[in-house]
Amino acid sequence: MKQKPTLKVIAKELDVSVSTVSKALRDSKEIGEETKRKVKAFAKLYNYRPNNIALSLKNKKTKTLGVIIPEIVHHFFTTVISGIEHYANDKGYNVIVGLSNESFKKEVINLEMLANGSIDGFIISVAKETLSFKDFHHLSETIDQGIPIVMFDRVIDDIECDKVIVDDVKTSAKAVQKLIDGGCKNIGIISTKDYVSVGRLRTEGYKNALNANHIEIQKSRILKIDDKFNSDDNIEFLEEQIYTYFEENEVDGLFAVNELYAITAMKVARQKGLTIPDDLQVIGFTDGVLSKHAFPPLTTISQHGFEMGEESAKLLIDRLENPNEDEEPFKTIVVKTDIIDRETTKLHNPKK
Amino acid sequence: MKQKPTLKVIAKELDVSVSTVSKALRDSKEIGEETKRKVKAFAKLYNYRPNNIALSLKNKKTKTLGVIIPEIVHHFFTTVISGIEHYANDKGYNVIVGLSNESFKKEVINLEMLANGSIDGFIISVAKETLSFKDFHHLSETIDQGIPIVMFDRVIDDIECDKVIVDDVKTSAKAVQKLIDGGCKNIGIISTKDYVSVGRLRTEGYKNALNANHIEIQKSRILKIDDKFNSDDNIEFLEEQIYTYFEENEVDGLFAVNELYAITAMKVARQKGLTIPDDLQVIGFTDGVLSKHAFPPLTTISQHGFEMGEESAKLLIDRLENPNEDEEPFKTIVVKTDIIDRETTKLHNPKK
DNA sequence: CCTTACAGCTACAACGTTTTCGTGTTGATA
DNA sequence: TATCAACACGAAAACGTTGTAGCTGTAAGG
């Protein structure tokens, strides 16, 4: 086992000073050609690499981004991480991942654990519990300490920072319009409770579309699922709620704010003898593996998670590397969405 | 914006020495009660937290684990990460994620990027390209430098380190046996090329089961998909291969080495007019979202990714925190598997 | 022969901690 | 009164870097 050599051991071995070694390796003109050659050869031979931690301490920069998300077993979030990783790695940054599991407490702990010098900035999508508690002190304190935050998808209006979102209202309206255009007369929505910003906004878009088409909004057709935590664990609970929803509502079009709701609704609908898309047309939000491989393949809205990740990382790194960061106004980037036509809707859009 | 205070500023503010502050905060009995109280109060007020980087440099420990996986947009890997995170966080460790995208080069870069002091040890599942190139110098060099590695799922026999796997051979045999017990006469397998260890082993299990039941092995029934890279991008390619496979083979039972292959095969089968499980029974490997929400829900083998993650993290952290780490022999933990009975097989196992 | 210039190198401080080893004061004891 | 332990604190080194300032020797210029 050969330990990583430090400047010191190279210096001792070559009988020069530490500074000389450091400078030689950085090709400083203060050092003679001959010495440089010797040092470089030695460094290569022993595979010298500067110690990152020491550099971080000296430069007060870790070149590491902290990403905190509700759960990682979730296609949308992983595509976002992919995007973040892609851009960050390109710029020489590492990515450290923290999971909140939708828990406020874990989110706070994660933030504090990383805010002590481990990272240069955060990219975060807020936990549902945090949203429902409306307690954002950990976020504002972090920003106060000079650590920039970028929020994506689930954002908080009251916190001033860079944000990357999709236009949930417009996009949802577009989806519902598609159902209307496809001949649906009775359109329902399966959403989340209002404290989840994206759920609220998507419901708003749903209402807007109905209004625009002079269709009366029926409250009972708006189902707001209350899953504070990991939704994958309470499939039965979800199914039950959707089942009673179908009992109480006769809909021929359904807009779901995520693919799990959509898929589950399709499953329940099938159990009730409905065929898709003939009896019921469905559109989901967020394109993931489920949508693509569902039966029938689900028409969904693609949020372009990869791009959202890239944009988030770009925003953060730009701010980190911009010397006059404080003056720079906060930006909110709205990533475009697309409807991906598959087989749960009748009207197929000709344009890709 | 109030900057994080350091020991130095606290010391200056309170007119004591840095050492006194440090000791007071760690409740050393060298310091008088009165002083301790003052220091602690001040530290609390200004929300002092020791700088992680400085600690890392001093202790030569970062309390951070590097996890390198082929892709993150993959249910199995994310469950593993969840498991790693869970155990690691519990022990006060952070997790830094690197993606190889199945590329040898990116794997090497990631490893080197993190091996310079950023992390204490690695947990890795090797890229397909690395497996096919059979070039493992980056791994052995890392171990040589005293940085421990734990491999999971896709492991390399030639490299000596801790490993976490499932018994692919036995598990696969069990799955195939289930098909046989369910009345299948002509059983096929969709696997990967042999350089992917898990593909090879699962194929072996398939053969073993047939042998044990005195069923002749027909080479044409063994389909080895050659997807060196991200398989989600070449669904069409996959479908084509499976389509021709079905043209050439009439099977009533199918074992797929991952859920994507299984789902895709079901899709193709459906197109060919087969009904599942009546005409064709299917079992997949690796339980993910796809299996659970497929139509019909797919009978699969659960690899217990979360547990694999936990075991990997445990193995790594144990080694890191064990002072006489060098002597400790390398372990290979075999995580148990379960067949999850769903609706693509006929014979349902009574025991959960 | 004395400056001056420059090349080529070294010393030192700093980043924020912890820890070891002082050091001075106090009060008790011989 | 001299000695000593206990107490409360401070100085300094160390982790691995880098950058600035300083040092040394040689050669050129006056």
Side-chain angles (χ1 to χ4, degrees):
Chain A
M1 183 174 96
K2 51 178 177 189
Q3 279 287 1
K4 286 233 125 195
T6 66
L7 290 184
K8 206 198 272 185
V9 321
I10 298 184
K12 188 173 289 176
E13 212 69 26
L14 260 46
D15 214 37
V16 291
S17 81
V18 174
S19 343
T20 304
V21 179
S22 171
K23 284 173 187 163
L25 290 175
R26 328 196 91 239
D27 235 342
S28 157
K29 57 188 143 210
E30 286 182 60
I31 307 297
E33 286 307 322
E34 179 55 24
T35 315
K36 273 193 209 170
R37 222 172 305 133
K38 261 199 326 199
V39 172
K40 282 181 186 169
F42 194 93
K44 187 159 210 171
L45 181 63
Y46 285 88
N47 193 31
Y48 169 80
R49 300 260 179 266
N51 181 304
N52 246 320
I53 298 292
L55 285 179
S56 296
L57 183 59
K58 183 139 220 323
N59 304 332
K60 296 175 143 244
K61 284 190 180 180
T62 60
K63 284 261 183 180
T64 302
L65 271 31
V67 176
I68 297 182
I69 51 172
E71 30 174 343
I72 199 169
V73 188
H74 206 299
H75 191 267
F76 171 64
F77 288 121
T78 56
T79 53
V80 175
I81 293 187
S82 289
I84 294 174
E85 256 271 333
H86 181 249
Y87 189 87
N89 268 17
D90 225 57
K91 296 281 178 185
Y93 281 76
N94 278 123
V95 173
I96 189 162
V97 175
L99 270 31
S100 69
N101 280 316
E102 302 286 13
S103 140
F104 171 73
K105 199 171 151 201
K106 265 214 76 183
E107 187 173 283
V108 174
I109 291 175
N110 257 304
L111 220 70
E112 286 182 351
M113 196 158 169
L114 296 176
N116 303 316
S118 302
I119 52 95
D120 294 341
F122 283 108
I123 296 176
I124 185 171
S125 189
V126 188
K128 282 183 187 164
E129 212 182 47
T130 306
L131 291 168
S132 84
F133 287 1
K134 290 197 201 313
D135 183 347
F136 311 133
H137 78 276
H138 53 309
L139 299 167
S140 46
E141 276 170 16
T142 305
I143 295 174
D144 249 31
Q145 278 168 25
I147 302 176
I149 292 184
V150 175
M151 293 188 186
F152 73 91
D153 196 52
R154 299 197 204 146
V155 301
I156 298 167
D157 290 339
D158 297 343
I159 302 276
E160 292 209 346
C161 64
D162 291 316
K163 287 161 192 165
V164 177
I165 52 171
V166 294
D167 188 333
D168 287 290
V169 180
K170 267 202 197 136
T171 302
S172 301
K174 204 164 60 176
V176 174
Q177 185 64 50
K178 186 185 175 70
L179 290 173
I180 295 171
D181 293 346
C184 295
K185 300 292 174 210
N186 307 300
I187 301 176
I189 178 173
I190 305 183
S191 184
T192 63
K193 292 280 176 193
D194 278 348
Y195 57 75
V196 181
S197 58
V198 293
R200 190 183 64 244
L201 296 172
R202 289 168 197 176
T203 305
E204 200 180 314
Y206 161 82
K207 290 179 182 169
N208 288 357
L210 294 191
N211 279 332
N213 290 271
H214 311 293
I215 301 175
E216 198 192 344
I217 294 167
Q218 286 179 247
K219 250 194 148 175
S220 69
R221 290 201 179 144
I222 301 177
L223 174 59
K224 292 182 182 171
I225 306 282
D226 186 17
D227 58 343
K228 273 206 181 73
F229 305 99
N230 194 326
S231 44
D232 232 36
D233 293 343
N234 334 7
I235 291 290
E236 304 75 24
F237 177 63
L238 185 59
E239 280 180 20
E240 269 172 42
Q241 286 187 76
I242 294 176
Y243 191 87
T244 46
Y245 174 82
F246 274 127
E247 293 283 301
E248 291 160 8
N249 292 277
E250 209 156 283
V251 295
D252 57 1
L254 199 52
F255 174 54
V257 301
N258 60 49
E259 54 170 12
L260 184 62
Y261 292 179
I263 299 283
T264 309
M266 279 165 60
K267 185 175 167 190
V268 174
R270 208 164 29 231
Q271 282 166 6
K272 293 186 68 79
L274 301 174
T275 65
I276 296 166
D278 295 332
D279 301 332
L280 177 68
Q281 297 185 48
V282 184
I283 297 184
F285 209 112
T286 310
D287 183 43
V289 264
L290 279 183
S291 307
K292 196 189 290 183
H293 297 106
F295 178 74
L298 180 68
T299 296
T300 58
I301 289 160
S302 168
Q303 275 185 94
H304 300 293
F306 192 86
E307 200 184 324
M308 289 183 78
E310 284 185 315
E311 290 289 350
S312 303
K314 183 166 173 5
L315 234 37
L316 183 53
I317 292 176
D318 275 1
R319 191 166 290 278
L320 287 172
E321 302 196 335
N322 212 330
N324 47 346
E325 41 179 311
D326 306 337
E327 295 137 37
E328 201 68 28
F330 291 115
K331 290 183 208 147
T332 293
I333 290 187
V334 179
V335 172
K336 80 166 197 309
T337 55
D338 288 312
I339 294 188
I340 299 183
D341 274 312
R342 283 196 274 246
E343 301 167 27
T344 58
T345 46
K346 285 185 194 162
L347 185 75
H348 280 227
N349 219 323
K351 64 161 186 178
K352 200 230 136 142
Chain B
M1 182 176 95
K2 52 178 175 189
Q3 279 287 1
K4 287 233 124 190
T6 65
L7 290 184
K8 204 198 272 186
V9 322
I10 299 184
K12 188 173 287 175
E13 213 70 27
L14 260 45
D15 214 35
V16 291
S17 81
V18 174
S19 352
T20 304
V21 178
S22 172
K23 286 172 189 166
L25 290 174
R26 327 195 91 241
D27 233 344
S28 156
K29 57 188 142 212
E30 285 182 58
I31 307 298
E33 286 306 323
E34 179 56 24
T35 315
K36 274 194 208 171
R37 220 171 307 131
K38 261 199 325 200
V39 172
K40 282 182 185 168
F42 193 93
K44 187 158 210 169
L45 182 63
Y46 286 90
N47 193 32
Y48 170 79
R49 299 262 179 268
N51 181 304
N52 247 320
I53 298 292
L55 286 180
S56 296
L57 183 59
K58 183 137 221 327
N59 303 332
K60 296 173 141 247
K61 284 189 180 183
T62 60
K63 285 258 183 184
T64 302
L65 271 30
V67 177
I68 297 181
I69 51 173
E71 32 174 343
I72 199 169
V73 187
H74 205 299
H75 191 267
F76 171 65
F77 287 122
T78 56
T79 53
V80 174
I81 293 186
S82 289
I84 294 173
E85 256 271 334
H86 182 248
Y87 189 88
N89 267 17
D90 226 58
K91 297 281 176 182
Y93 281 75
N94 278 121
V95 174
I96 187 162
V97 175
L99 269 33
S100 68
N101 280 316
E102 302 286 13
S103 140
F104 171 72
K105 198 173 150 198
K106 266 214 77 183
E107 188 173 282
V108 174
I109 291 175
N110 257 304
L111 219 71
E112 286 182 351
M113 196 159 171
L114 296 175
N116 302 316
S118 302
I119 53 96
D120 294 340
F122 283 108
I123 296 176
I124 185 171
S125 189
V126 188
K128 282 184 190 165
E129 212 182 47
T130 306
L131 291 169
S132 83
F133 286 2
K134 292 200 201 313
D135 183 348
F136 312 133
H137 77 277
H138 54 308
L139 299 167
S140 46
E141 275 169 18
T142 304
I143 295 173
D144 249 31
Q145 278 167 26
I147 303 177
I149 292 184
V150 175
M151 293 188 186
F152 73 90
D153 196 52
R154 299 196 204 146
V155 302
I156 298 167
D157 291 338
D158 297 343
I159 302 276
E160 292 210 346
C161 64
D162 291 316
K163 288 160 192 166
V164 177
I165 52 171
V166 294
D167 189 333
D168 287 290
V169 179
K170 266 200 198 139
T171 303
S172 302
K174 204 164 62 178
V176 173
Q177 185 64 50
K178 185 185 177 71
L179 290 173
I180 295 171
D181 294 346
C184 295
K185 301 291 175 211
N186 307 300
I187 301 176
I189 179 174
I190 305 182
S191 182
T192 63
K193 292 280 175 194
D194 278 348
Y195 57 77
V196 181
S197 58
V198 294
R200 189 183 63 246
L201 296 171
R202 289 168 197 175
T203 305
E204 199 180 316
Y206 160 82
K207 289 180 183 170
N208 288 356
L210 294 191
N211 278 333
N213 291 271
H214 311 292
I215 300 173
E216 196 193 346
I217 294 167
Q218 286 178 247
K219 251 196 148 177
S220 70
R221 288 196 181 147
I222 302 177
L223 174 57
K224 293 182 181 172
I225 306 284
D226 186 18
D227 58 343
K228 273 209 181 71
F229 305 99
N230 195 324
S231 44
D232 232 36
D233 294 343
N234 337 5
I235 290 291
E236 304 76 22
F237 176 63
L238 185 59
E239 280 179 22
E240 268 171 42
Q241 286 186 77
I242 295 177
Y243 191 87
T244 46
Y245 174 82
F246 275 127
E247 292 285 300
E248 291 161 8
N249 293 279
E250 209 157 283
V251 295
D252 56 2
L254 199 51
F255 174 55
V257 300
N258 60 50
E259 55 171 12
L260 184 62
Y261 292 178
I263 299 285
T264 310
M266 279 164 61
K267 186 174 166 192
V268 175
R270 209 162 30 232
Q271 283 166 6
K272 294 186 68 77
L274 300 174
T275 66
I276 296 165
D278 295 333
D279 301 332
L280 176 68
Q281 298 185 47
V282 184
I283 298 185
F285 210 112
T286 311
D287 184 43
V289 263
L290 279 183
S291 307
K292 195 188 289 179
H293 299 105
F295 177 73
L298 180 68
T299 297
T300 56
I301 290 161
S302 169
Q303 274 185 97
H304 301 294
F306 192 86
E307 200 184 324
M308 289 183 77
E310 283 186 317
E311 290 289 350
S312 303
K314 184 166 175 357
L315 233 37
L316 184 53
I317 293 176
D318 275 0
R319 191 166 290 279
L320 287 171
E321 302 196 336
N322 212 328
N324 47 344
E325 40 179 310
D326 305 336
E327 294 136 41
E328 202 69 27
F330 291 115
K331 289 183 208 147
T332 293
I333 291 187
V334 179
V335 173
K336 80 166 196 307
T337 55
D338 288 312
I339 293 187
I340 300 183
D341 274 311
R342 284 196 275 245
E343 299 166 29
T344 57
T345 45
K346 285 182 192 163
L347 185 77
H348 280 224
N349 218 324
K351 64 164 187 181
K352 198 221 137 139

